[in-house]
Amino acid sequence: MLPRLLLALLFCIGVCTSASAFAVYGAIGDKYTQLGKDRSPVGAPLSDEADAPYGGRFNNFQWGAIYWHPTIGAHAVWGAIFGKWNELGRVGYGYPITDETGTPDGRGRYNHFRALQINGKPEASIYWTPQTGAHAVYGAIRAKWAGQGWERGRLGYPVSDEYQDGNGRRSDFEWGSIRWTAAGGAVVSYAGSLLPPTGGFGDIAIRGVEVAMMGRPIGGNTAFLSEMELCRIIRSSQDRIGNTIKDLARGQINPRIRPFSIRSDARVQMSPNCGARAAVVTACADSARIRLLLPRNVFFINITTPGPLPGWADPRFSIDFDLSADAQIILPTRAGAPLGLGQVTVRATNLHWDSQNLTGDVVRLANSIATLLTGNDLTAQFTRDLSFSFGGVTTTLGQLSPLTSRLPANARIESCVVGNVLRLDGRTDPAPPPLVVR
């Protein structure tokens, strides 16, 4: 024991900061020195070297950690990637096999990892950009993404961790998604597959928004209005949307189907598929349009039947429907003005119903007879297209308002598309004369 303590002390003389009593030595000490010691991205040490699971060693630091394993060597993880890795269980997710490294396009950062405790020692990754944050990619989805060219491929950077999607698993990327199932393996879906780029909606698609001053960008998000980001907002609001649809249906349909009624425990199952598109009609504009599509959602309902029908209470039905939404974004024209949300129209279309049990079939048959005798078709009340307004879905658009407030108070804002990014450009030079059409 004594020789080991002396060795640690000798290494600490060369590696530890004067303000720290923690020992950093050996291969971890070499890595720490290589990174710049206490001026490195991991900062000052917060622990002595200690045992790590599966035969390794580690030190904690202010902003990260350095882990070592005899089959891998010593590698550092820090910052947002360290935060995600820590959340995933550190070496339970995998030992780092790289230091944090910049991506070839200069936009992002990544670490690769190896799960030593799993047969085959599979590798995984965490990728980060300022716009997308840090997200984990692993397994068959990671292999498919790598085959697409990693972040330089058509999918871009990950914008979600892997999550459950029906009977499969899915990860979302800037310009599409990869879904894995046991039966079909990993399948790529590119953005725009549900909503075509044309069709009279707008000629110029936009994916992101940035704020600039006299043409020089000062901040923004290049994936802010991408299909994946818009669909993420919808998915995060799906419970609210489902409850709104349920309440709307009960409020509008119950008065028309008396003495039947939709019970309050009806529920809406939102589609895992989503298409979205943001566009402007002209290259420079004062507003943009967003279109969203969620095909084949399911509304599960129980119908409370009239008293004279004992034993028929609460037959269950399902209604399949497509959900679409159109919204207008009012762009600011002066510094400090927020992005405004104009009219939002939500439609439920292509409604089809089916019974889910025997009593449902009986009530459906009874409705057919009643329709023949009275002309009051119960099923028609459920299959009318619905149109309504829904607020709050795009409230995150306000996150750009602090950027526009950084512009000079006297600046006007000109909004024009640069590539696929809508630039809100603060200008203090004389405004161009208005276009006169003769």
Side-chain angles (χ1 to χ4, degrees):
M1 176 62 73
L2 185 58
R4 185 176 181 84
L5 291 175
L6 290 174
L7 180 63
L9 179 61
L10 290 174
F11 272 101
C12 193
I13 293 173
V15 178
C16 296
T17 64
S18 59
S20 172
F22 298 112
V24 186
Y25 52 88
I28 292 178
D30 292 342
K31 175 61 67 175
Y32 187 49
T33 300
Q34 176 188 332
L35 292 171
K37 297 185 180 180
D38 58 341
R39 295 184 299 277
S40 72
V42 296
L46 296 181
S47 76
D48 294 329
E49 184 178 302
D51 287 334
Y54 322 122
R57 304 279 292 173
F58 78 100
N59 277 83
N60 284 325
F61 296 85
Q62 284 177 296
W63 303 302
I66 300 176
Y67 273 69
W68 170 89
H69 191 276
T71 65
I72 293 171
H75 298 286
V77 191
W78 63 81
I81 292 178
F82 172 75
K84 173 62 67 174
W85 185 54
N86 190 60
E87 172 189 324
L88 294 170
R90 296 203 183 190
V91 296
Y93 183 70
Y95 268 86
I97 56 175
T98 67
D99 297 333
E100 182 177 305
T101 306
T103 53
D105 63 5
R107 180 182 162 204
R109 310 280 295 175
Y110 71 92
N111 277 82
H112 292 321
F113 302 88
R114 183 175 297 150
L116 300 178
Q117 76 280 17
I118 300 176
N119 289 337
K121 298 180 175 56
E123 295 185 1
S125 302
I126 298 175
Y127 273 73
W128 170 90
T129 74
Q131 296 80 25
T132 61
H135 298 289
V137 192
Y138 50 89
I141 290 178
R142 178 180 182 265
K144 176 65 73 171
W145 183 50
Q148 298 286 309
W150 299 95
E151 75 283 352
R152 289 173 290 178
R154 284 181 59 188
L155 290 170
Y157 285 86
V159 297
S160 78
D161 293 338
E162 186 177 302
Y163 60 93
Q164 192 71 31
D165 180 11
N167 63 346
R169 302 285 295 174
R170 171 172 166 167
S171 286
D172 294 327
F173 298 82
E174 290 176 295
W175 320 126
S177 64
I178 300 176
R179 185 172 185 267
W180 174 90
T181 61
V187 177
V188 176
S189 295
Y190 293 109
S193 58
L194 290 177
L195 282 176
T198 57
F201 174 61
D203 295 327
I204 305 172
I206 51 179
R207 293 174 173 172
V209 177
E210 70 178 11
V211 177
M213 182 62 198
M214 301 297 286
R216 305 185 69 166
I218 61 175
N221 188 331
T222 57
F224 186 59
L225 295 176
S226 69
E227 181 174 65
M228 290 301 104
E229 178 64 12
L230 293 172
C231 288
R232 184 196 64 77
I233 294 172
I234 288 293
R235 279 195 297 274
S236 68
S237 305
Q238 61 183 351
D239 289 343
R240 191 153 34 118
I241 296 172
N243 288 333
T244 298
I245 294 172
K246 181 187 74 174
D247 294 342
L248 174 79
R250 295 183 69 236
Q252 290 192 7
I253 294 176
N254 277 354
R256 302 201 301 263
I257 64 173
R258 299 187 189 282
F260 298 91
S261 64
I262 301 175
R263 272 183 24 180
S264 60
D265 58 356
R267 65 182 179 87
V268 177
Q269 179 178 296
M270 304 296 291
S271 169
N273 298 316
C274 173
R277 175 176 167 79
V280 293
V281 177
T282 59
C284 297
D286 58 5
S287 67
R289 301 289 301 181
I290 295 176
R291 173 169 291 174
L292 293 153
L293 174 64
L294 282 80
R296 310 324 311 151
N297 309 276
V298 185
F299 187 10
F300 294 103
I301 59 176
N302 285 74
I303 303 295
T304 300
T305 57
L309 303 175
W312 291 9
D314 298 341
R316 195 178 197 206
F317 296 89
S318 65
I319 301 177
D320 295 341
F321 64 97
D322 295 339
L323 188 66
S324 63
D326 291 277
Q328 183 181 28
I329 302 174
I330 310 301
L331 302 174
T333 58
R334 305 299 304 177
L339 283 166
L341 185 63
Q343 181 179 1
V344 180
T345 303
V346 181
R347 296 179 180 87
T349 58
N350 299 323
L351 284 79
H352 304 282
W353 87 329
D354 192 12
S355 61
Q356 298 289 306
N357 55 22
L358 179 60
T359 56
D361 293 330
V362 173
V363 171
R364 191 169 186 178
L365 175 61
N367 175 71
S368 299
I369 297 172
T371 301
L372 178 65
L373 296 176
T374 67
N376 182 20
D377 185 356
L378 172 66
T379 64
Q381 308 302 323
F382 287 97
T383 54
R384 292 180 180 177
D385 289 353
L386 301 176
S387 179
F388 57 97
S389 296
F390 184 83
V393 176
T394 50
T395 53
T396 55
L397 291 173
Q399 68 176 268
L400 291 182
S401 298
L403 288 175
T404 63
S405 66
R406 291 171 52 186
L407 300 174
N410 63 336
R412 70 181 190 280
I413 296 177
E414 296 178 357
S415 301
C416 295
V417 179
V418 180
N420 289 117
V421 174
L422 183 65
R423 176 177 291 174
L424 310 183
D425 192 9
R427 312 290 303 189
T428 55
D429 54 344
L435 179 65
V436 177
V437 179
R438 299 183 182 275

